[in-house]
Amino acid sequence: MRRRKSSVAAIARRTDVSRTFLYDSPEDRAAVDKAMTEAGERCGQMFADQGDEREATLRERALNAEDALKNAHAEILAQRTHIGELLGWNSDLEVNRTEEAIRRITTGSSGLKQRVRRLTTDNRTLDERLKAARSNHRFHDCRVADLEARIAPRSPHRRPGISDATASR
């Protein structure tokens, strides 16, 4: 009975006696009342202990949340400062562009464009020369093969009047 908070009806069922018996017997009634009072006190103490634990947990969570919020505000401030510095650099770059600097950049750009055109023309010229050299090389290879065929000794099993170059074709 002392382990749990119970009603008179529940105690009567567990002890296998009638409720009337518990109410009529002054000793048993006093024992039931005492057990119910002690159980209520233990239950109240248990709820108080749980409440203290919950309160401590909530307090710790609140402190953690405050720390996280403080860190987030510091990070936001750092990011805003960095953004401000970057915007300042951007405006500094725009202000420092004088007419002299613009002319210098434009002149350099046009000079680079001319150099690109000249290199493109030189590349085309070299490509054409390479093609011509390959064509000459093929022609000379064919010519050398023809000359070798003409001066090569004739074999006895060939028909007369047919040259080696003609036979190989």
Side-chain angles (χ1 to χ4, degrees):
M1 276 189 328
R2 290 187 175 146
R3 278 188 248 143
R4 297 190 285 197
K5 182 177 180 183
S6 301
S7 66
V8 174
I11 292 171
R13 277 192 305 272
R14 274 184 273 153
T15 58
D16 210 16
V17 295
S18 68
R19 283 186 284 176
T20 308
F21 172 78
L22 290 176
Y23 283 117
D24 288 342
S25 170
E27 293 173 3
D28 293 331
R29 175 72 180 164
V32 168
D33 287 342
K34 183 179 176 186
M36 288 176 63
T37 304
E38 289 175 0
E41 290 172 358
R42 277 194 307 274
C43 189
Q45 182 62 36
M46 186 175 67
F47 283 137
D49 292 344
Q50 286 178 351
D52 291 343
E53 289 176 14
R54 285 185 182 154
E55 186 177 324
T57 303
L58 290 174
R59 190 177 307 118
E60 185 177 337
R61 291 172 80 187
L63 291 173
N64 289 341
E66 286 177 3
D67 287 342
L69 184 62
K70 189 184 303 180
N71 291 338
H73 282 299
E75 180 66 23
I76 290 170
L77 181 62
Q79 292 294 328
R80 285 180 179 166
T81 303
H82 186 65
I83 289 169
E85 289 172 359
L86 292 176
L87 288 174
W89 288 348
N90 190 21
S91 63
D92 288 347
L93 290 175
E94 290 174 356
V95 169
N96 289 336
R97 290 190 184 155
T98 61
E99 289 295 323
E100 173 70 27
I102 292 172
R103 258 188 260 115
R104 187 172 32 88
I105 291 171
T106 305
T107 304
S109 177
S110 62
L112 289 174
K113 286 179 184 177
Q114 289 174 358
R115 187 171 176 200
V116 166
R117 281 190 217 112
R118 187 176 64 245
L119 289 173
T120 303
T121 305
D122 291 347
N123 191 23
R124 263 193 229 116
T125 302
L126 290 174
D127 194 36
E128 290 171 1
R129 286 181 184 173
L130 179 63
K131 285 179 185 176
R134 285 179 178 160
S135 176
N136 282 340
H137 185 265
R138 278 192 300 274
F139 172 76
H140 288 297
D141 271 352
C142 288
R143 181 79 176 133
V144 167
D146 189 42
L147 290 174
E148 284 177 348
R150 284 187 188 179
I151 62 170
R154 300 195 183 244
S155 62
H157 62 283
R158 278 208 223 136
R159 292 185 300 180
I162 298 179
S163 67
D164 286 338
T166 312
S168 65
R169 288 186 194 164

